[in-house]
Amino acid sequence: MNIFYKNYTIEHHQELDSTNRLAFKMADGNQIKDYHVIVADRQTSGKGRSSRIWQSIDGNLHFSLILRPKIPTNKIVQLSFVAITALRLAIQNIAANKPIRIENKWPNDLLINGKKVAGLLLESSINQNNVVFVIIGIGLNLTASPDNPMFPASNLKDFGIDLNKQQGLEIFLDQFEELYQNYLSYGFRNIKNLWLQAAYKLDEKISINDGEKQIDGIFKGIDDDGNLILEHNKETIKVSVADIYNSD
Ligand code: BTN
C-alpha cells in the first residue's frame, strides 16, 4: 500500500533484497514517477558503496528515493551531496540541544562524534546525455549498529536521539525538498558550502585508500564534480572514488 506524504509517494515493504534494486527495476520499467520512495524494514542484500554489503538491521531505516531531474548527466553526483546534507540538517535540527558533533564524511557518510550513523548510495540511469532517473538510497542507523564495520559505527539512539522510522523518513524528506529546490534553482554552490561547513577533517591530515593504495595528505575540500581535493607532497590531486580511513 502506498502512503502519500506531501509530494512523495511512499511504498513500504517488510522485506526486500535491496530498496535500491527494486527502485532501479521499477524506474527502469517506467513504473514509478518522480518522488517515489521505497522503504523496507529489512534488506537481505542491502547494497553499500564499492559493492559492499549494507547490514540492514531491523529497527533501522532503509529507503530509496527516485528522482527524474532535468539536469546534465555530469551533475548527477551533486545530488548525493544535496541528499546527505539534507539528512545532516534534518538530524541537526531535532538534536539541536544535544552536545554532539554531526559531520559529513566524504563522499556521503554521516558521522556523529566521529562514528558513522548513515550512508548513501546513488545509482542512476542515463540515455545519451539525459538523465532518465536517479536513485538515492539511504541507510540510517536509528537503533542498531552493524557488526565489524570498516569505519567505527553507531546509531542515533546511542546519542539520545529517539526517532522512529516514519519520523526519520519525514524529517529527511522535508529537508530534502527544501535543499533540492534550492539546488535546482541556484545550483551547487549553496549545497557545497553547507556540506563543507560540516566536513569531517577539512584542512586536516587524512589517509585515503582508492582500492589499490593508501595516500596521505591534507583534505582541502571538494570540487563541483564531488571529487575529494587532497594536498599530497605539495601537489593537489583530485580523487573520485576512495574511502577515508580513521587515522585517529
Ligand atoms: C554506504 O556504503 O555507506 C552506502 C550505504 C547505502 C545503504 C542504503 S540502505 C537503502 C538503500 N538500499 C540499498 O541496497 N542500499 C541503500
Side-chain angles (χ1 to χ4, degrees):
M1 195 186 67
N2 292 343
I3 295 171
F4 299 98
Y5 177 71
K6 300 190 177 168
N7 292 334
Y8 301 95
T9 304
I10 303 175
E11 176 180 331
H12 176 261
H13 295 256
Q14 280 176 346
E15 186 174 294
L16 287 176
D17 56 351
S18 147
T19 57
N20 263 38
R21 233 174 250 126
L22 179 62
F24 203 99
K25 214 186 301 166
M26 290 176 72
D28 213 19
N30 236 334
Q31 295 170 45
I32 39 180
K33 52 183 179 53
D34 218 7
Y35 281 76
H36 194 98
V37 182
I38 296 182
V39 192
D41 293 337
R42 289 180 298 281
Q43 297 183 116
T44 51
S45 182
K47 292 168 78 174
R49 281 179 61 238
S50 307
S51 307
R52 290 189 284 256
I53 293 282
W54 182 259
Q55 288 178 45
S56 307
I57 308 164
D58 235 333
N60 289 342
L61 178 62
H62 321 104
F63 68 93
S64 300
L65 166 64
I66 293 105
L67 299 172
R68 296 185 184 271
K70 292 187 176 45
I71 57 172
T73 51
N74 63 352
K75 298 210 185 303
I76 291 175
V77 69
Q78 295 180 346
L79 292 173
S80 62
F81 292 86
V82 177
I84 205 70
T85 300
L87 187 62
R88 174 175 61 80
L89 293 178
I91 294 172
Q92 223 160 268
N93 282 342
I94 53 146
N97 59 348
K98 301 208 186 293
I100 53 173
R101 195 175 70 253
I102 311 183
E103 291 167 306
N104 293 124
K105 173 172 169 278
W106 183 87
N108 297 135
D109 293 346
L110 201 70
L111 308 184
I112 298 187
N113 292 356
K115 294 189 172 167
K116 178 164 171 172
V117 296
L120 179 152
L121 179 68
L122 182 144
E123 298 183 278
S124 61
S125 168
I126 59 176
N127 183 353
Q128 291 172 344
N129 206 27
N130 296 313
V131 177
V132 183
F133 60 84
V134 174
I135 314 276
I136 293 174
I138 292 185
L140 173 61
N141 299 339
L142 295 174
T143 55
S145 313
D147 296 328
N148 306 315
M150 246 187 64
F151 191 87
S154 191
N155 61 79
L156 298 193
K157 196 161 192 273
D158 278 352
F159 297 102
I161 304 170
D162 282 308
L163 274 184
N164 65 34
K165 285 181 265 191
Q166 188 63 21
Q167 291 165 330
L169 182 61
E170 287 179 7
I171 60 164
F172 166 76
L173 294 176
D174 288 346
Q175 187 67 63
F176 178 77
E177 174 62 1
E178 196 182 317
L179 286 199
Y180 184 49
Q181 291 308 329
N182 184 295
Y183 168 76
L184 293 176
S185 304
Y186 305 109
F188 191 50
R189 182 195 288 247
N190 290 339
I191 304 297
K192 184 164 136 184
N193 287 339
L194 282 170
W195 190 90
L196 286 169
Q197 275 168 22
Y200 172 72
K201 300 251 179 191
L202 185 64
D203 288 321
E204 291 181 41
K205 185 168 173 277
I206 56 169
S207 300
I208 63 168
N209 190 305
D210 66 1
E212 288 177 355
K213 56 188 179 312
Q214 178 178 324
I215 314 171
D216 297 332
I218 308 291
F219 175 34
K220 299 306 287 181
I222 54 171
D223 67 9
D224 285 353
D225 297 321
N227 294 317
L228 174 146
I229 303 172
L230 194 70
E231 214 171 76
H232 170 74
N233 292 342
K234 302 212 168 94
E235 269 177 51
T236 299
I237 57 173
K238 291 186 171 186
V239 182
S240 61
V241 182
D243 288 296
I244 298 182
Y245 275 82
N246 193 0
S247 50
D248 291 339

